[in-house]
Amino acid sequence: MPSTRANGITIEYDTFGAKSASPLLLVMGLGAQMIAWDERLCSLLADRGHYVVRYDNRDTGLSSKIEGVDSMGVAEAMAAAAEQKPLRSAYLLKDMAADGMGLLDAIGVDRAHIVGASMGGMIVQEMVINFPRRILTMTSIMSTTGGPGLPQAKPEAMAALTRPAATTREEAIEGAVASTKVVGSPGYPADEAKVRDRAARAYDRQFYPAGFARQLVAVLASGSRREGLSSVKTPTLVIHGAADPLVPVEGGKDTAASIAGSELLLFEGMGHDLPEALWPEFVGAISRHTSRVAAPK
């Protein structure tokens, strides 16, 4: 997989499909490497006429680690956020959005369709707020505006998210299995063997819990995007699971309500993951959405 310098950091990325096809940038969520966008899913999107680009966010995978910058720990940041006090973070989601735009610059893409999952949905929201000219369409999956008053994660889901970092490969794998049982889709149970394999590949590629912590603090410090989204004109698709225990479905509904003319697509039985059984639905919906706005030649 290639890497490039963008926005002052090194970004590891990968592509699928012809570069002459319609550009589609995939942005993954909290602590997740780009390989969480399954190669088969990326290929399905490429088969629908997209030049698919996936990448490791900063502090994840093989992209730059943002070390030596003052930032609160997770517990301190969560306490400060609960009391609406200022937070110290190494960076914000808008900086992560600028990383993605820098990557597009580096690979010669001026405008692209963008798709983000979970924290990646928050990042693509920042992209469309701060770089509207660069965005053809946006798809926000199982994400939220971060607006005040929205329902929070269920206690068991938050506990799974913030459990102590694994200290061994086996702990990391078992932790992924346990977390999937809590936040995954009850209507589309995950294949445990595949969960174990994905967790093992992610651990072997790069295990970096410090980055997960800094990203979580960045989410907390970035606040609400409602006001910024209210002026967005970019065609928007919002996808969410009705059974999501980590980012409740109200977050998706609020995202759609904040952007005039957006489309909301809800899936019963879907939790906080991308179940393989729904890939045809996701690919079809995203491709129909992107086809409404032609990429410039």
Side-chain angles (χ1 to χ4, degrees):
M1 296 178 185
S3 64
T4 188
R5 293 291 293 179
N7 197 32
I9 64 173
T10 297
I11 296 180
E12 188 82 3
Y13 70 98
D14 196 10
T15 65
F16 300 79
K19 191 167 184 178
S20 59
S22 183
L24 181 70
L25 183 69
L26 301 179
V27 189
M28 191 29 79
L30 181 63
Q33 301 177 47
M34 67 175 170
I35 59 174
W37 292 111
D38 193 283
E39 289 187 6
R40 294 167 297 155
L41 177 57
C42 293
S43 295
L44 289 172
L45 288 164
D47 289 345
R48 295 293 292 265
H50 295 107
Y51 175 53
V52 178
V53 182
R54 62 177 185 173
Y55 68 102
D56 286 328
N57 284 311
R58 60 169 64 196
D59 261 341
T60 304
L62 304 182
S63 290
S64 288
K65 309 305 183 291
I66 313 301
E67 299 174 332
V69 180
D70 184 35
S71 177
M72 288 179 167
V74 171
E76 183 184 8
M78 292 180 72
E83 298 176 9
Q84 298 185 328
K85 293 181 178 179
L87 279 72
R88 298 188 319 279
S89 60
Y91 46 84
L92 297 172
L93 292 177
K94 66 180 181 181
D95 300 307
M96 301 180 78
D99 294 344
M101 294 298 100
L103 172 60
L104 292 181
D105 289 336
I107 63 175
V109 173
D110 181 50
R111 303 181 70 200
H113 304 282
I114 55 175
V115 178
S118 194
M119 182 190 73
M122 303 175 195
I123 293 171
V124 298
Q125 290 173 29
E126 290 283 0
M127 288 178 179
V128 81
I129 291 168
N130 294 289
F131 304 93
R133 189 197 67 79
R134 305 291 304 274
I135 312 304
L136 295 168
T137 68
M138 176 179 74
T139 301
S140 178
I141 305 174
M142 56 187 181
S143 194
T144 179
T145 63
L150 288 171
Q152 300 301 299
K154 291 185 177 180
E156 60 271 24
M158 183 56 70
L161 182 72
T162 58
R163 65 161 44 95
T167 58
T168 67
R169 185 177 189 268
E170 185 60 28
E171 282 185 7
I173 294 171
E174 294 302 326
V177 172
S179 293
T180 299
K181 290 179 179 177
V182 173
V183 305
S185 297
Y188 306 91
D191 182 321
E192 186 171 316
K194 290 182 178 180
V195 174
R196 290 180 179 277
D197 177 68
R198 285 195 297 268
R201 287 190 292 115
Y203 185 94
D204 293 341
R205 185 170 183 266
Q206 181 66 261
F207 180 64
Y208 190 64
F212 174 95
R214 283 195 291 269
Q215 288 183 356
L216 181 53
V217 174
V219 170
L220 295 171
S222 292
S224 173
R225 288 167 294 284
R226 270 186 192 152
E227 182 176 353
L229 292 173
S230 68
S231 61
V232 165
K233 307 298 183 186
T234 303
T236 296
L237 170 64
V238 178
I239 297 174
H240 215 105
D244 192 330
L246 186 61
V247 181
V249 68
E250 288 81 3
K253 292 178 178 179
D254 192 54
T255 302
S258 297
I259 304 172
S262 59
E263 177 185 356
L264 176 63
L265 186 58
L266 301 180
F267 288 96
E268 295 296 327
M270 176 182 164
H272 199 78
D273 60 358
L274 299 171
E276 188 171 345
L278 290 177
W279 289 359
E281 299 282 351
F282 297 157
V283 171
I286 292 169
S287 297
R288 286 191 298 274
H289 180 56
T290 60
S291 69
R292 296 171 184 143
V293 180
K297 300 297 184 181

